[in-house]
Amino acid sequence: MDEEEGIEEDLLETGDPEAAKNYSAEKPADLVQLAERAANASIPVEWRSYVTMRSNGDVTERATQWYLHISLPGGGKDRKTFSISRSRAGDWASSNFESLVLLKNFAAALDRSTNVIEAMVQPRYALKSTLQMLHRKARHDDAPDELKSASLAEDALAITSTSNGIVASAEISPASAGLGATEGTRLGYSLKVRLNSALSYDASVKLLEEFSAALFFEMDLLYDLPLSLSESRRQRIRSDARERPSETLKAPTVPRNFYSVEAASLYAYGRSASGMPLLQYLAFYQVLEFYFPTYARSETVRRFQRRLRDPAFDPNNGNQVATLVTFLNAEARALQYEEEQLKATVDSCIDSNDLRSFLEQSDDRREFLTKKNALKGVGHLVLDEKSNAGSLTSQVASRVYQIRCRIVHAKEDGGPKRGELLLPNSAEAKMLQHDISHVRWIAQRALIQAAIRSNW
C-alpha cells in the first residue's frame, strides 16, 4: 500500500553552498525567471518547498514542490506577500508585477510604469450583461455616436474625459494579468483609470474612492446597475463566521416558546446578511430596539415599586411624594434618549455573569473588545470588577450604541457626536466580527427574555 507524507522546508538559507547549488538546480525555470525579475526590481523574494515522500513497498520516492514568495508594496512600510506555485507562474510572468503598488484593502493596484489605477468591480454577471446590452445597442445605425465610440467591444466600455484634469481616460474591461495575478483570478472586470501625471499612494487611494463613487452612482442612474469596488481577497474576513458548535448538541424538538415574529424576523435578517457587516450589526441592533418600549418601561416600574416598598416612605408626607414625582419626571426625560432605553433593555435581558462568561469564551473576542482604540470613538470594555468603569452591562450598552451611531449617522458633520463614519468597505468594518457576534448574543437574550410559553 502506498503511503505519502509531506513536510515543508525553508530553503531560503541552507548554510551549505553545495546543497544550495543542488537546490537551485531543482527549482523550476519559470519560477527562477520570476525571482530574477523581482530581484532586479529590488523586490524581496524567498523560496519555500514542500517535500512529499511517497512509499511503495521498498521504494521511496521524493517529490519537491517549489513556491516563490514575493512581497509587493502596499503603501508606506506595508507589504503584501504572495506565494507563487508553478501553476500560477504563467499569470505572474505575463504581468507587470514589478511596477505594482497595492491600494488599501481593495482588489486594486497602481501601475507606476503606466500611471494606471486598476480596481476589480462587482457584481461581475450583472456588469457583463449590461456591457453586452450596450454593445448591441451601439451597433444600431440610430445609436448615439458617443455610445458607438464607447462600446467598441461587448466586454468593455470606454469612459472618455471631457476636461484636462488628472484623469486622462478610463474604461471598464476584463481584469489585467497583473491584477489577476495578485487576486488569484482573472475572472471578472476591472475599472482602469489612466492618469495624466503620477500620484502619491494616498492621492491614488483618494482618487480611486472618489472617482469610483461618482462613476458608479451615475452608472446606476443610467443603467440601473449597482456597482462597487471589490474587496481584496487578501483582506477578506468573515464577519459572519460561524462559531464552533457545542459538543453537546441536542436534537430539535417542537419549540416550547413563542417569540415575537417581528423581532425574530429582524434576527433572521441579520443572520442572512452574509458579507455585509454593517447591515448585520444594524439588524441585530433593531432586535434590541424592538424591545425598547417593553424593557425601558419595566425598568421604570421596577424602580418605582422599589421606592414604594421602602418602609420609610410615607404617602402622607408631601415632601416624600414630591420627591417621588420628581423621580418619575426624571425617569421619563431620561428614557426619551435612545442610549438610556438601550441600557435599560440590556440590564433587563442580561445577567452580568453570563455576559462575562460569553466574553471569556474566546480569547480573540475578549482581546479585541477590551483593547483600547480598536475602533475609533468606541469605548473598550473593562472586565476588572474593581475598576471605576461602571457595570459591565452599562459598558456593553455604551459600546453597542457608539458603534450603532458610527454606522447610522451618515451626515457630513458626523451626527450629533461628530463620530467618524463607518463605511462598508473600510478596514474598521472588516474588524466588526467580534462586535457582531456580541450584539447577536445580546439580541438572542432579548428574544429569550421576552418569550412566552407556546401551546404547540
Short mmCIF file of all heavy atoms in Angstrom, two decimals, residues 152-205:
data_model
loop_
_atom_site.label_atom_id
_atom_site.label_comp_id
_atom_site.label_asym_id
_atom_site.label_seq_id
_atom_site.Cartn_x
_atom_site.Cartn_y
_atom_site.Cartn_z
N LEU A 152 -17.00 49.63 -28.09
CA LEU A 152 -16.40 49.03 -29.28
C LEU A 152 -16.31 47.51 -29.16
O LEU A 152 -16.13 46.82 -30.15
CB LEU A 152 -14.99 49.61 -29.50
CG LEU A 152 -14.96 51.12 -29.81
CD1 LEU A 152 -13.53 51.59 -29.93
CD2 LEU A 152 -15.74 51.42 -31.07
N ALA A 153 -16.41 46.98 -27.96
CA ALA A 153 -16.37 45.53 -27.74
C ALA A 153 -17.45 45.16 -26.75
O ALA A 153 -17.87 45.99 -25.93
CB ALA A 153 -15.00 45.10 -27.23
N GLU A 154 -17.91 43.92 -26.78
CA GLU A 154 -19.02 43.53 -25.91
C GLU A 154 -18.60 43.32 -24.47
O GLU A 154 -19.44 43.14 -23.60
CB GLU A 154 -19.69 42.26 -26.44
CG GLU A 154 -18.82 41.02 -26.40
CD GLU A 154 -19.58 39.78 -26.82
OE1 GLU A 154 -20.72 39.90 -27.32
OE2 GLU A 154 -19.03 38.68 -26.62
N ASP A 155 -17.29 43.32 -24.21
CA ASP A 155 -16.83 43.14 -22.84
C ASP A 155 -16.05 44.35 -22.32
O ASP A 155 -15.26 44.23 -21.38
CB ASP A 155 -15.97 41.88 -22.72
CG ASP A 155 -14.72 41.94 -23.58
OD1 ASP A 155 -14.59 42.90 -24.37
OD2 ASP A 155 -13.88 41.03 -23.48
N ALA A 156 -16.26 45.51 -22.93
CA ALA A 156 -15.52 46.70 -22.49
C ALA A 156 -16.37 47.95 -22.73
O ALA A 156 -17.20 48.00 -23.63
CB ALA A 156 -14.20 46.82 -23.23
N LEU A 157 -16.12 48.95 -21.89
CA LEU A 157 -16.83 50.22 -22.01
C LEU A 157 -15.83 51.34 -21.75
O LEU A 157 -15.25 51.42 -20.66
CB LEU A 157 -17.98 50.30 -21.02
CG LEU A 157 -18.86 51.54 -21.08
CD1 LEU A 157 -19.63 51.59 -22.40
CD2 LEU A 157 -19.83 51.59 -19.90
N ALA A 158 -15.61 52.18 -22.76
CA ALA A 158 -14.69 53.30 -22.62
C ALA A 158 -15.39 54.47 -21.94
O ALA A 158 -16.57 54.73 -22.18
CB ALA A 158 -14.16 53.72 -23.98
N ILE A 159 -14.65 55.16 -21.08
CA ILE A 159 -15.18 56.32 -20.36
C ILE A 159 -14.28 57.50 -20.70
O ILE A 159 -13.16 57.60 -20.22
CB ILE A 159 -15.19 56.06 -18.85
CG1 ILE A 159 -16.03 54.80 -18.54
CG2 ILE A 159 -15.74 57.26 -18.09
CD1 ILE A 159 -15.76 54.21 -17.19
N THR A 160 -14.78 58.36 -21.58
CA THR A 160 -13.95 59.45 -22.08
C THR A 160 -13.94 60.63 -21.13
O THR A 160 -14.90 60.89 -20.41
CB THR A 160 -14.46 59.92 -23.45
OG1 THR A 160 -15.83 60.30 -23.33
CG2 THR A 160 -14.34 58.80 -24.48
N SER A 161 -12.84 61.35 -21.14
CA SER A 161 -12.70 62.54 -20.31
C SER A 161 -12.98 63.78 -21.15
O SER A 161 -12.52 63.89 -22.30
CB SER A 161 -11.29 62.62 -19.73
OG SER A 161 -11.10 63.82 -19.02
N THR A 162 -13.74 64.70 -20.59
CA THR A 162 -14.09 65.93 -21.32
C THR A 162 -13.37 67.15 -20.74
O THR A 162 -13.72 68.28 -21.04
CB THR A 162 -15.61 66.16 -21.25
OG1 THR A 162 -16.02 66.23 -19.88
CG2 THR A 162 -16.36 65.04 -21.95
N SER A 163 -12.38 66.90 -19.92
CA SER A 163 -11.64 68.01 -19.31
C SER A 163 -10.15 67.68 -19.33
O SER A 163 -9.73 66.61 -19.77
CB SER A 163 -12.10 68.24 -17.87
OG SER A 163 -11.76 67.13 -17.06
N ASN A 164 -9.36 68.60 -18.86
CA ASN A 164 -7.90 68.41 -18.80
C ASN A 164 -7.45 68.15 -17.37
O ASN A 164 -6.40 68.62 -16.95
CB ASN A 164 -7.19 69.64 -19.37
CG ASN A 164 -7.47 69.84 -20.84
OD1 ASN A 164 -7.54 68.87 -21.60
ND2 ASN A 164 -7.65 71.10 -21.25
N GLY A 165 -8.26 67.43 -16.63
CA GLY A 165 -7.94 67.14 -15.23
C GLY A 165 -6.93 66.03 -15.08
O GLY A 165 -6.23 65.64 -16.02
N ILE A 166 -6.87 65.47 -13.86
CA ILE A 166 -5.88 64.43 -13.57
C ILE A 166 -6.19 63.13 -14.29
O ILE A 166 -5.31 62.34 -14.58
CB ILE A 166 -5.80 64.21 -12.03
CG1 ILE A 166 -4.65 63.25 -11.69
CG2 ILE A 166 -7.11 63.66 -11.50
CD1 ILE A 166 -3.29 63.78 -12.03
N VAL A 167 -7.48 62.87 -14.60
CA VAL A 167 -7.87 61.63 -15.27
C VAL A 167 -7.83 61.83 -16.77
O VAL A 167 -8.57 62.65 -17.33
CB VAL A 167 -9.28 61.19 -14.82
CG1 VAL A 167 -9.71 59.95 -15.60
CG2 VAL A 167 -9.29 60.90 -13.33
N ALA A 168 -6.96 61.07 -17.46
CA ALA A 168 -6.86 61.15 -18.91
C ALA A 168 -8.02 60.41 -19.56
O ALA A 168 -8.65 60.91 -20.50
CB ALA A 168 -5.53 60.58 -19.39
N SER A 169 -8.29 59.21 -19.08
CA SER A 169 -9.40 58.40 -19.59
C SER A 169 -9.62 57.25 -18.63
O SER A 169 -8.84 57.04 -17.69
CB SER A 169 -9.09 57.85 -20.99
OG SER A 169 -7.98 56.96 -20.94
N ALA A 170 -10.68 56.51 -18.86
CA ALA A 170 -10.97 55.36 -18.02
C ALA A 170 -11.73 54.33 -18.85
O ALA A 170 -12.23 54.64 -19.94
CB ALA A 170 -11.78 55.77 -16.79
N GLU A 171 -11.80 53.14 -18.34
CA GLU A 171 -12.56 52.09 -19.01
C GLU A 171 -12.91 50.99 -18.02
O GLU A 171 -12.26 50.84 -16.97
CB GLU A 171 -11.79 51.49 -20.19
CG GLU A 171 -10.58 50.66 -19.77
CD GLU A 171 -9.89 50.02 -20.98
OE1 GLU A 171 -9.50 50.76 -21.90
OE2 GLU A 171 -9.72 48.78 -20.95
N ILE A 172 -13.95 50.25 -18.35
CA ILE A 172 -14.29 49.03 -17.63
C ILE A 172 -14.13 47.89 -18.61
O ILE A 172 -14.76 47.88 -19.67
CB ILE A 172 -15.73 49.09 -17.08
CG1 ILE A 172 -15.84 50.17 -16.00
CG2 ILE A 172 -16.13 47.74 -16.49
CD1 ILE A 172 -17.25 50.35 -15.44
N SER A 173 -13.27 46.94 -18.28
CA SER A 173 -12.93 45.85 -19.19
C SER A 173 -12.41 44.67 -18.38
O SER A 173 -12.23 44.78 -17.16
CB SER A 173 -11.87 46.32 -20.20
OG SER A 173 -10.73 46.82 -19.53
N PRO A 174 -12.15 43.52 -19.03
CA PRO A 174 -11.64 42.36 -18.28
C PRO A 174 -10.37 42.70 -17.51
O PRO A 174 -9.54 43.50 -17.96
CB PRO A 174 -11.37 41.33 -19.37
CG PRO A 174 -12.37 41.67 -20.43
CD PRO A 174 -12.46 43.16 -20.43
N ALA A 175 -10.21 42.12 -16.34
CA ALA A 175 -9.06 42.40 -15.48
C ALA A 175 -7.76 42.06 -16.18
O ALA A 175 -7.67 41.12 -16.96
CB ALA A 175 -9.18 41.61 -14.18
N SER A 176 -6.73 42.84 -15.90
CA SER A 176 -5.42 42.63 -16.50
C SER A 176 -4.70 41.46 -15.84
O SER A 176 -5.11 40.96 -14.78
CB SER A 176 -4.57 43.89 -16.34
OG SER A 176 -4.22 44.08 -14.96
N ALA A 177 -3.61 41.04 -16.49
CA ALA A 177 -2.82 39.93 -15.94
C ALA A 177 -2.23 40.30 -14.58
O ALA A 177 -2.15 39.46 -13.69
CB ALA A 177 -1.71 39.56 -16.92
N GLY A 178 -1.80 41.56 -14.44
CA GLY A 178 -1.18 41.97 -13.18
C GLY A 178 -2.13 41.88 -12.02
O GLY A 178 -1.81 41.29 -10.98
N LEU A 179 -3.31 42.48 -12.15
CA LEU A 179 -4.28 42.44 -11.05
C LEU A 179 -4.81 41.03 -10.86
O LEU A 179 -5.07 40.60 -9.73
CB LEU A 179 -5.43 43.41 -11.33
CG LEU A 179 -6.34 43.73 -10.14
CD1 LEU A 179 -5.54 44.34 -9.00
CD2 LEU A 179 -7.47 44.67 -10.55
N GLY A 180 -4.96 40.31 -11.96
CA GLY A 180 -5.41 38.92 -11.85
C GLY A 180 -4.43 38.06 -11.07
O GLY A 180 -4.83 37.18 -10.31
N ALA A 181 -3.13 38.33 -11.24
CA ALA A 181 -2.13 37.57 -10.51
C ALA A 181 -2.21 37.84 -9.01
O ALA A 181 -2.17 36.91 -8.19
CB ALA A 181 -0.73 37.90 -11.04
N THR A 182 -2.32 39.11 -8.63
CA THR A 182 -2.35 39.42 -7.20
C THR A 182 -3.64 38.95 -6.53
O THR A 182 -3.65 38.67 -5.34
CB THR A 182 -2.21 40.94 -6.97
OG1 THR A 182 -3.29 41.63 -7.60
CG2 THR A 182 -0.89 41.45 -7.55
N GLU A 183 -4.75 38.86 -7.30
CA GLU A 183 -6.02 38.43 -6.73
C GLU A 183 -6.30 36.95 -6.94
O GLU A 183 -7.30 36.43 -6.47
CB GLU A 183 -7.16 39.25 -7.33
CG GLU A 183 -7.19 40.68 -6.85
CD GLU A 183 -7.32 40.79 -5.35
OE1 GLU A 183 -8.21 40.13 -4.77
OE2 GLU A 183 -6.53 41.52 -4.73
N GLY A 184 -5.42 36.27 -7.68
CA GLY A 184 -5.58 34.83 -7.86
C GLY A 184 -6.60 34.45 -8.91
O GLY A 184 -6.93 33.27 -9.05
N THR A 185 -7.13 35.42 -9.66
CA THR A 185 -8.09 35.11 -10.71
C THR A 185 -8.18 36.28 -11.68
O THR A 185 -8.05 37.44 -11.29
CB THR A 185 -9.49 34.84 -10.14
OG1 THR A 185 -10.40 34.58 -11.22
CG2 THR A 185 -10.00 36.02 -9.33
N ARG A 186 -8.39 35.96 -12.97
CA ARG A 186 -8.62 36.99 -13.97
C ARG A 186 -10.09 37.01 -14.38
O ARG A 186 -10.46 37.71 -15.32
CB ARG A 186 -7.74 36.77 -15.18
CG ARG A 186 -6.26 37.05 -14.92
CD ARG A 186 -5.44 37.01 -16.19
NE ARG A 186 -5.81 38.07 -17.12
CZ ARG A 186 -5.21 38.23 -18.30
NH1 ARG A 186 -4.25 37.40 -18.67
NH2 ARG A 186 -5.59 39.20 -19.11
N LEU A 187 -10.91 36.23 -13.68
CA LEU A 187 -12.33 36.23 -13.96
C LEU A 187 -12.93 37.51 -13.40
O LEU A 187 -12.78 37.81 -12.22
CB LEU A 187 -13.01 35.01 -13.34
CG LEU A 187 -12.57 33.65 -13.87
CD1 LEU A 187 -13.25 32.54 -13.09
CD2 LEU A 187 -12.88 33.53 -15.36
N GLY A 188 -13.60 38.25 -14.25
CA GLY A 188 -14.23 39.47 -13.77
C GLY A 188 -13.72 40.69 -14.51
O GLY A 188 -12.87 40.61 -15.41
N TYR A 189 -14.26 41.83 -14.11
CA TYR A 189 -13.96 43.09 -14.78
C TYR A 189 -13.30 44.06 -13.81
O TYR A 189 -13.46 43.95 -12.58
CB TYR A 189 -15.25 43.72 -15.31
CG TYR A 189 -15.93 42.90 -16.38
CD1 TYR A 189 -16.84 41.89 -16.04
CD2 TYR A 189 -15.65 43.11 -17.73
CE1 TYR A 189 -17.45 41.13 -17.02
CE2 TYR A 189 -16.26 42.35 -18.71
CZ TYR A 189 -17.16 41.37 -18.36
OH TYR A 189 -17.77 40.60 -19.32
N SER A 190 -12.58 45.00 -14.40
CA SER A 190 -11.91 45.99 -13.56
C SER A 190 -12.11 47.38 -14.15
O SER A 190 -12.31 47.56 -15.36
CB SER A 190 -10.42 45.70 -13.44
OG SER A 190 -9.78 45.85 -14.70
N LEU A 191 -12.07 48.36 -13.26
CA LEU A 191 -12.07 49.77 -13.65
C LEU A 191 -10.62 50.20 -13.79
O LEU A 191 -9.82 50.02 -12.86
CB LEU A 191 -12.77 50.62 -12.58
CG LEU A 191 -12.60 52.13 -12.69
CD1 LEU A 191 -13.27 52.66 -13.96
CD2 LEU A 191 -13.16 52.82 -11.45
N LYS A 192 -10.27 50.75 -14.96
CA LYS A 192 -8.90 51.21 -15.21
C LYS A 192 -8.94 52.71 -15.42
O LYS A 192 -9.62 53.21 -16.32
CB LYS A 192 -8.31 50.49 -16.42
CG LYS A 192 -8.31 48.97 -16.28
CD LYS A 192 -7.92 48.29 -17.57
CE LYS A 192 -8.00 46.78 -17.43
NZ LYS A 192 -9.39 46.28 -17.29
N VAL A 193 -8.21 53.44 -14.58
CA VAL A 193 -8.17 54.90 -14.64
C VAL A 193 -6.77 55.33 -15.04
O VAL A 193 -5.81 55.11 -14.30
CB VAL A 193 -8.55 55.53 -13.28
CG1 VAL A 193 -8.57 57.05 -13.38
CG2 VAL A 193 -9.89 54.99 -12.79
N ARG A 194 -6.65 55.93 -16.22
CA ARG A 194 -5.36 56.39 -16.71
C ARG A 194 -5.15 57.84 -16.28
O ARG A 194 -5.99 58.71 -16.54
CB ARG A 194 -5.29 56.26 -18.23
CG ARG A 194 -5.33 54.82 -18.70
CD ARG A 194 -5.34 54.70 -20.22
NE ARG A 194 -5.35 53.31 -20.61
CZ ARG A 194 -6.45 52.55 -20.67
NH1 ARG A 194 -7.62 53.10 -20.38
NH2 ARG A 194 -6.38 51.28 -21.00
N LEU A 195 -4.01 58.09 -15.65
CA LEU A 195 -3.73 59.40 -15.09
C LEU A 195 -2.85 60.22 -16.03
O LEU A 195 -2.00 59.67 -16.75
CB LEU A 195 -3.03 59.25 -13.74
CG LEU A 195 -3.74 58.34 -12.71
CD1 LEU A 195 -2.88 58.20 -11.47
CD2 LEU A 195 -5.12 58.89 -12.37
N ASN A 196 -3.02 61.52 -15.99
CA ASN A 196 -2.17 62.41 -16.79
C ASN A 196 -0.81 62.61 -16.15
O ASN A 196 0.15 63.00 -16.82
CB ASN A 196 -2.85 63.76 -16.98
CG ASN A 196 -3.89 63.73 -18.09
OD1 ASN A 196 -3.65 63.15 -19.15
ND2 ASN A 196 -5.05 64.33 -17.85
N SER A 197 -0.72 62.37 -14.85
CA SER A 197 0.56 62.51 -14.15
C SER A 197 0.58 61.58 -12.95
O SER A 197 -0.46 61.07 -12.52
CB SER A 197 0.78 63.96 -13.70
OG SER A 197 -0.28 64.38 -12.85
N ALA A 198 1.77 61.34 -12.43
CA ALA A 198 1.93 60.41 -11.30
C ALA A 198 1.32 60.99 -10.04
O ALA A 198 1.32 62.20 -9.81
CB ALA A 198 3.41 60.11 -11.08
N LEU A 199 0.79 60.09 -9.21
CA LEU A 199 0.22 60.47 -7.92
C LEU A 199 0.89 59.68 -6.81
O LEU A 199 1.39 58.58 -7.03
CB LEU A 199 -1.29 60.20 -7.89
CG LEU A 199 -2.20 61.05 -8.78
CD1 LEU A 199 -3.65 60.58 -8.61
CD2 LEU A 199 -2.08 62.52 -8.41
N SER A 200 0.86 60.23 -5.61
CA SER A 200 1.36 59.51 -4.45
C SER A 200 0.39 58.39 -4.09
O SER A 200 -0.72 58.32 -4.62
CB SER A 200 1.51 60.46 -3.26
OG SER A 200 0.23 60.93 -2.84
N TYR A 201 0.80 57.55 -3.16
CA TYR A 201 -0.06 56.44 -2.74
C TYR A 201 -1.37 56.96 -2.17
O TYR A 201 -2.46 56.53 -2.58
CB TYR A 201 0.67 55.59 -1.70
CG TYR A 201 -0.20 54.51 -1.09
CD1 TYR A 201 -0.35 53.28 -1.72
CD2 TYR A 201 -0.88 54.72 0.11
CE1 TYR A 201 -1.16 52.29 -1.18
CE2 TYR A 201 -1.69 53.74 0.65
CZ TYR A 201 -1.82 52.53 0.01
OH TYR A 201 -2.63 51.56 0.54
N ASP A 202 -1.30 57.88 -1.21
CA ASP A 202 -2.52 58.40 -0.58
C ASP A 202 -3.42 59.10 -1.59
O ASP A 202 -4.65 58.95 -1.56
CB ASP A 202 -2.15 59.37 0.55
CG ASP A 202 -1.53 58.66 1.74
OD1 ASP A 202 -1.76 57.43 1.88
OD2 ASP A 202 -0.82 59.32 2.52
N ALA A 203 -2.83 59.85 -2.50
CA ALA A 203 -3.62 60.55 -3.51
C ALA A 203 -4.27 59.55 -4.47
O ALA A 203 -5.40 59.77 -4.93
CB ALA A 203 -2.75 61.53 -4.28
N SER A 204 -3.59 58.45 -4.75
CA SER A 204 -4.15 57.42 -5.64
C SER A 204 -5.36 56.75 -5.00
O SER A 204 -6.38 56.52 -5.65
CB SER A 204 -3.08 56.38 -5.98
OG SER A 204 -2.00 56.95 -6.68
N VAL A 205 -5.23 56.44 -3.71
CA VAL A 205 -6.36 55.83 -2.99
C VAL A 205 -7.54 56.78 -2.96
O VAL A 205 -8.68 56.40 -3.21
CB VAL A 205 -5.93 55.44 -1.56
CG1 VAL A 205 -7.14 55.01 -0.74
CG2 VAL A 205 -4.90 54.32 -1.60
#
